[in-house]
Amino acid sequence: MSEPVASSSAAAPDQDLLIDFSGVRLVRDGRTLVGPVDWRVELDERWVVLGPNGAGKTSLMRLAAAQVFPSAGEAHILGEVLGKTVVQDLTARIGVSTAALAARIPEDELVTDLVVSAGYAVLGRWRERYDEVDISRAVDVLESMGAEHLANRRFGTLSEGERKRVLIARALMTDPELMLLDEPAAGLDLGGREELVARLDVLAHDPDAPATVLVTHHVEEIPPGFTHAMMLKEGAVVTQGLISDVLTAEALSETFSQRILLEEADGRYFARRASRPGRRRLQA
Ligand SMILES: Nc1ncnc2c1ncn2[C@@H]1O[C@H](COP(=O)(O)OP(=O)(O)OP(=O)(O)O)[C@@H](O)[C@H]1O
Ligand SMILES: [Mg+2]
């Protein structure tokens, strides 16, 4: 398959519109993995994408990261249309943290090198020396994720929670316009999840932070500062819009194919399955 390509949009791009998908669909082996999706993400928005296993969330992120191009529809990302020229410039403007990326990191990779090398879109240190300014930026982004003390550790020795924070720091390294986080809280314990949610909440409130899309299975992982949500089921959009409008028990029930109860407290969300009427409780 040829590399994803992009061309400048014919019309003057709207600077505030980072993602603009119209009828976008990703098809593999005759099967639609995600789509058709109409989706617009603006500069100051922080999105969460929710959906069960296999719903198409990672496929949507791969499209937004310009790692694949649509099988149908039109995808504008950062003012470029996925379609005609090589997208290297585009990918440098998008910070990504995914399990697929984590799996490719050598165990003996030094954390500082891993973060610094994001600026060169490579894994593994490939220069003898980086500029002072790069190192200082790496320290700053590690600090913003509470991970500065890990700078001289090898990636393979980090706990799951530490890895996630380092990967987000790496995604921030290039000062991207768009940040895509695919299940950043997967595998974290309660404390680790809460720590990460708090860090993402701080980022969400920072006007200089990139527009962010966070993929998760759990409403408990939505940081309070997040503004918008999309729910996906079997590749199709169930609902999308302002979290306050679309994050409802009904929409979650539809998305996860079971009756879900939803509670909110202090800007956080909590979901559980509704118990069946007449069902006896387990005795203690
Ligand atoms: N390259 C591919 N070729 C064929 N099918 C694929 C490919 N990539 C993904 N799929 C399928 O597309 C569907 C959506 O996958 P995707 O990884 O986007 O789901 P997801 O919502 O991220 O799921 P999860 O929550 O488990 O990570 C799945 O059924 C998956 O098996
Ligand atoms: Mg996925």
Short mmCIF file of all heavy atoms in Angstrom, two decimals, residues 26-29 31-34 49-62 68 182-183 215-217 232 234-235, ligand 1:
data_model
loop_
_atom_site.label_atom_id
_atom_site.label_comp_id
_atom_site.label_asym_id
_atom_site.label_seq_id
_atom_site.Cartn_x
_atom_site.Cartn_y
_atom_site.Cartn_z
N LEU A 26 -13.20 3.94 6.86
CA LEU A 26 -12.00 3.11 6.66
C LEU A 26 -12.45 1.68 6.43
O LEU A 26 -13.13 1.09 7.28
CB LEU A 26 -11.08 3.19 7.89
CG LEU A 26 -9.74 2.47 7.74
CD1 LEU A 26 -8.86 3.12 6.67
CD2 LEU A 26 -8.98 2.43 9.07
N VAL A 27 -12.09 1.16 5.27
CA VAL A 27 -12.51 -0.19 4.89
C VAL A 27 -11.27 -1.07 4.73
O VAL A 27 -10.27 -0.64 4.16
CB VAL A 27 -13.29 -0.15 3.54
CG1 VAL A 27 -13.69 -1.56 3.10
CG2 VAL A 27 -14.53 0.73 3.68
N ARG A 28 -11.31 -2.27 5.28
CA ARG A 28 -10.25 -3.25 5.07
C ARG A 28 -10.89 -4.60 4.75
O ARG A 28 -11.82 -5.00 5.45
CB ARG A 28 -9.37 -3.40 6.32
CG ARG A 28 -8.47 -2.19 6.59
CD ARG A 28 -7.33 -2.09 5.58
NE ARG A 28 -6.48 -0.94 5.82
CZ ARG A 28 -6.66 0.28 5.31
NH1 ARG A 28 -7.71 0.51 4.52
NH2 ARG A 28 -5.84 1.26 5.57
N ASP A 29 -10.38 -5.26 3.75
CA ASP A 29 -10.91 -6.57 3.35
C ASP A 29 -12.42 -6.54 3.17
O ASP A 29 -13.14 -7.45 3.60
CB ASP A 29 -10.55 -7.64 4.40
CG ASP A 29 -9.04 -7.74 4.62
OD1 ASP A 29 -8.30 -7.52 3.65
OD2 ASP A 29 -8.62 -8.00 5.76
N ARG A 31 -14.56 -4.81 4.65
CA ARG A 31 -15.32 -4.54 5.87
C ARG A 31 -15.08 -3.12 6.35
O ARG A 31 -13.93 -2.66 6.36
CB ARG A 31 -14.85 -5.53 6.93
CG ARG A 31 -15.86 -5.71 8.03
CD ARG A 31 -15.36 -6.70 9.07
NE ARG A 31 -15.65 -6.11 10.37
CZ ARG A 31 -14.84 -6.14 11.40
NH1 ARG A 31 -13.68 -6.75 11.33
NH2 ARG A 31 -15.19 -5.57 12.52
N THR A 32 -16.15 -2.42 6.72
CA THR A 32 -15.99 -1.07 7.25
C THR A 32 -15.56 -1.14 8.71
O THR A 32 -16.30 -1.65 9.55
CB THR A 32 -17.31 -0.28 7.14
OG1 THR A 32 -17.64 -0.15 5.76
CG2 THR A 32 -17.17 1.10 7.74
N LEU A 33 -14.35 -0.65 9.01
CA LEU A 33 -13.87 -0.68 10.39
C LEU A 33 -14.43 0.50 11.16
O LEU A 33 -14.71 0.40 12.35
CB LEU A 33 -12.33 -0.63 10.43
CG LEU A 33 -11.59 -1.63 9.56
CD1 LEU A 33 -10.12 -1.63 9.91
CD2 LEU A 33 -12.18 -3.02 9.70
N VAL A 34 -14.56 1.63 10.47
CA VAL A 34 -15.17 2.80 11.09
C VAL A 34 -15.76 3.68 10.00
O VAL A 34 -15.22 3.76 8.89
CB VAL A 34 -14.16 3.59 11.97
CG1 VAL A 34 -13.07 4.26 11.16
CG2 VAL A 34 -14.86 4.60 12.86
N VAL A 49 -13.42 9.77 23.08
CA VAL A 49 -14.08 8.82 22.18
C VAL A 49 -14.30 7.54 22.97
O VAL A 49 -13.36 6.92 23.44
CB VAL A 49 -13.24 8.55 20.91
CG1 VAL A 49 -13.90 7.48 20.05
CG2 VAL A 49 -13.04 9.83 20.12
N LEU A 50 -15.57 7.19 23.13
CA LEU A 50 -15.96 6.03 23.95
C LEU A 50 -16.55 4.95 23.06
O LEU A 50 -17.21 5.26 22.06
CB LEU A 50 -17.07 6.44 24.92
CG LEU A 50 -16.69 7.18 26.20
CD1 LEU A 50 -17.91 7.90 26.75
CD2 LEU A 50 -16.13 6.21 27.24
N GLY A 51 -16.35 3.71 23.47
CA GLY A 51 -16.99 2.62 22.72
C GLY A 51 -16.41 1.30 23.15
O GLY A 51 -15.30 1.25 23.69
N PRO A 52 -17.13 0.22 22.92
CA PRO A 52 -16.65 -1.10 23.33
C PRO A 52 -15.49 -1.59 22.48
O PRO A 52 -15.15 -0.97 21.45
CB PRO A 52 -17.88 -2.00 23.16
CG PRO A 52 -18.73 -1.29 22.16
CD PRO A 52 -18.46 0.17 22.29
N ASN A 53 -14.92 -2.71 22.84
CA ASN A 53 -13.86 -3.35 22.05
C ASN A 53 -14.34 -3.54 20.62
O ASN A 53 -15.47 -3.97 20.39
CB ASN A 53 -13.50 -4.73 22.62
CG ASN A 53 -12.80 -4.64 23.97
OD1 ASN A 53 -13.22 -5.25 24.93
ND2 ASN A 53 -11.74 -3.87 24.05
N GLY A 54 -13.47 -3.18 19.68
CA GLY A 54 -13.79 -3.42 18.27
C GLY A 54 -14.71 -2.39 17.65
O GLY A 54 -15.12 -2.54 16.49
N ALA A 55 -15.03 -1.31 18.39
CA ALA A 55 -15.99 -0.31 17.88
C ALA A 55 -15.42 0.55 16.76
O ALA A 55 -16.17 1.20 16.03
CB ALA A 55 -16.47 0.58 19.02
N GLY A 56 -14.09 0.59 16.66
CA GLY A 56 -13.47 1.40 15.61
C GLY A 56 -12.73 2.63 16.13
O GLY A 56 -12.30 3.49 15.35
N LYS A 57 -12.51 2.67 17.45
CA LYS A 57 -11.87 3.84 18.05
C LYS A 57 -10.43 4.02 17.56
O LYS A 57 -10.02 5.11 17.16
CB LYS A 57 -11.88 3.72 19.58
CG LYS A 57 -13.27 3.53 20.16
CD LYS A 57 -13.25 3.38 21.67
CE LYS A 57 -12.47 2.19 22.18
NZ LYS A 57 -13.03 0.87 21.77
N THR A 58 -9.66 2.93 17.61
CA THR A 58 -8.26 3.03 17.17
C THR A 58 -8.20 3.31 15.66
O THR A 58 -7.33 4.07 15.21
CB THR A 58 -7.49 1.74 17.54
OG1 THR A 58 -7.46 1.63 18.97
CG2 THR A 58 -6.07 1.75 17.00
N SER A 59 -9.12 2.74 14.92
CA SER A 59 -9.15 3.02 13.48
C SER A 59 -9.39 4.51 13.24
O SER A 59 -8.76 5.13 12.37
CB SER A 59 -10.27 2.21 12.81
OG SER A 59 -10.07 0.83 13.05
N LEU A 60 -10.28 5.11 14.04
CA LEU A 60 -10.55 6.54 13.91
C LEU A 60 -9.30 7.35 14.26
O LEU A 60 -8.97 8.33 13.58
CB LEU A 60 -11.72 6.92 14.84
CG LEU A 60 -12.19 8.37 14.76
CD1 LEU A 60 -12.92 8.63 13.45
CD2 LEU A 60 -13.11 8.72 15.94
N MET A 61 -8.57 6.91 15.31
CA MET A 61 -7.34 7.60 15.70
C MET A 61 -6.27 7.49 14.61
O MET A 61 -5.51 8.42 14.37
CB MET A 61 -6.78 7.05 17.01
CG MET A 61 -7.58 7.38 18.25
SD MET A 61 -7.93 9.15 18.44
CE MET A 61 -9.55 9.25 17.75
N ARG A 62 -6.20 6.34 13.96
CA ARG A 62 -5.20 6.17 12.89
C ARG A 62 -5.50 7.12 11.74
O ARG A 62 -4.58 7.67 11.11
CB ARG A 62 -5.16 4.72 12.43
CG ARG A 62 -4.64 3.79 13.54
CD ARG A 62 -4.50 2.38 13.06
NE ARG A 62 -3.40 2.25 12.13
CZ ARG A 62 -3.39 1.46 11.07
NH1 ARG A 62 -4.44 0.69 10.82
NH2 ARG A 62 -2.36 1.41 10.28
N VAL A 68 -3.25 6.40 8.22
CA VAL A 68 -3.93 5.78 7.09
C VAL A 68 -4.81 6.85 6.45
O VAL A 68 -5.09 7.86 7.08
CB VAL A 68 -4.84 4.60 7.52
CG1 VAL A 68 -4.03 3.40 7.95
CG2 VAL A 68 -5.81 5.01 8.61
N ASP A 182 -4.65 7.13 22.82
CA ASP A 182 -5.49 5.93 22.69
C ASP A 182 -5.34 5.09 23.96
O ASP A 182 -4.30 4.47 24.18
CB ASP A 182 -5.07 5.13 21.44
CG ASP A 182 -6.12 4.09 21.06
OD1 ASP A 182 -7.03 3.82 21.86
OD2 ASP A 182 -6.00 3.54 19.95
N GLU A 183 -6.35 5.10 24.78
CA GLU A 183 -6.39 4.34 26.04
C GLU A 183 -5.18 4.60 26.94
O GLU A 183 -4.48 3.65 27.32
CB GLU A 183 -6.51 2.85 25.76
CG GLU A 183 -7.83 2.47 25.12
CD GLU A 183 -8.01 0.96 25.07
OE1 GLU A 183 -7.74 0.31 26.09
OE2 GLU A 183 -8.40 0.46 24.02
N VAL A 215 -9.10 8.40 23.82
CA VAL A 215 -9.91 7.19 23.60
C VAL A 215 -9.97 6.39 24.90
O VAL A 215 -8.94 6.18 25.54
CB VAL A 215 -9.29 6.30 22.50
CG1 VAL A 215 -9.97 4.94 22.46
CG2 VAL A 215 -9.40 6.98 21.15
N THR A 216 -11.16 5.97 25.28
CA THR A 216 -11.28 5.14 26.48
C THR A 216 -12.51 4.26 26.41
O THR A 216 -13.42 4.50 25.62
CB THR A 216 -11.32 6.02 27.76
OG1 THR A 216 -11.45 5.17 28.89
CG2 THR A 216 -12.47 7.00 27.74
N HIS A 217 -12.52 3.23 27.28
CA HIS A 217 -13.71 2.40 27.43
C HIS A 217 -14.53 2.85 28.63
O HIS A 217 -15.65 2.39 28.81
CB HIS A 217 -13.31 0.93 27.71
CG HIS A 217 -12.51 0.30 26.63
ND1 HIS A 217 -11.23 -0.14 26.81
CD2 HIS A 217 -12.82 0.03 25.35
CE1 HIS A 217 -10.77 -0.66 25.68
NE2 HIS A 217 -11.72 -0.57 24.77
N LEU A 232 -18.91 5.42 19.76
CA LEU A 232 -18.87 4.56 18.58
C LEU A 232 -19.36 3.17 18.93
O LEU A 232 -19.06 2.65 20.02
CB LEU A 232 -17.42 4.43 18.08
CG LEU A 232 -16.80 5.60 17.31
CD1 LEU A 232 -15.33 5.28 17.03
CD2 LEU A 232 -17.54 5.88 16.01
N GLU A 234 -19.77 -0.57 16.67
CA GLU A 234 -19.65 -1.29 15.41
C GLU A 234 -19.29 -0.35 14.26
O GLU A 234 -19.86 -0.42 13.17
CB GLU A 234 -20.95 -2.05 15.12
CG GLU A 234 -21.19 -3.15 16.14
CD GLU A 234 -22.58 -3.76 16.05
OE1 GLU A 234 -23.30 -3.46 15.09
OE2 GLU A 234 -22.93 -4.53 16.96
N GLY A 235 -18.37 0.55 14.53
CA GLY A 235 -17.86 1.45 13.51
C GLY A 235 -18.69 2.69 13.25
O GLY A 235 -18.23 3.61 12.57
N1 LIG B 1 -5.96 -3.79 9.49
C1 LIG B 1 -7.12 -4.38 9.76
N2 LIG B 1 -7.64 -5.30 8.92
C2 LIG B 1 -8.83 -5.88 9.21
N3 LIG B 1 -9.56 -5.61 10.30
C3 LIG B 1 -9.08 -4.70 11.16
C4 LIG B 1 -7.84 -4.05 10.95
N4 LIG B 1 -7.63 -3.19 11.98
C5 LIG B 1 -8.69 -3.32 12.80
N5 LIG B 1 -9.55 -4.24 12.31
C6 LIG B 1 -10.86 -4.61 12.89
O1 LIG B 1 -11.64 -3.43 12.92
C7 LIG B 1 -12.46 -3.39 14.06
C8 LIG B 1 -12.20 -2.11 14.81
O2 LIG B 1 -10.91 -2.16 15.33
P1 LIG B 1 -10.32 -1.01 16.24
O3 LIG B 1 -8.94 -1.41 16.63
O4 LIG B 1 -10.48 0.29 15.56
O5 LIG B 1 -11.34 -1.08 17.49
P2 LIG B 1 -11.25 -0.37 18.89
O6 LIG B 1 -12.54 0.35 19.11
O7 LIG B 1 -10.00 0.43 19.01
O8 LIG B 1 -11.20 -1.62 19.87
P3 LIG B 1 -10.46 -1.81 21.30
O9 LIG B 1 -11.33 -1.12 22.28
O10 LIG B 1 -10.45 -3.30 21.50
O11 LIG B 1 -9.09 -1.22 21.19
C9 LIG B 1 -12.14 -4.64 14.85
O12 LIG B 1 -13.12 -5.61 14.58
C10 LIG B 1 -10.78 -5.07 14.32
O13 LIG B 1 -10.63 -6.48 14.38
#
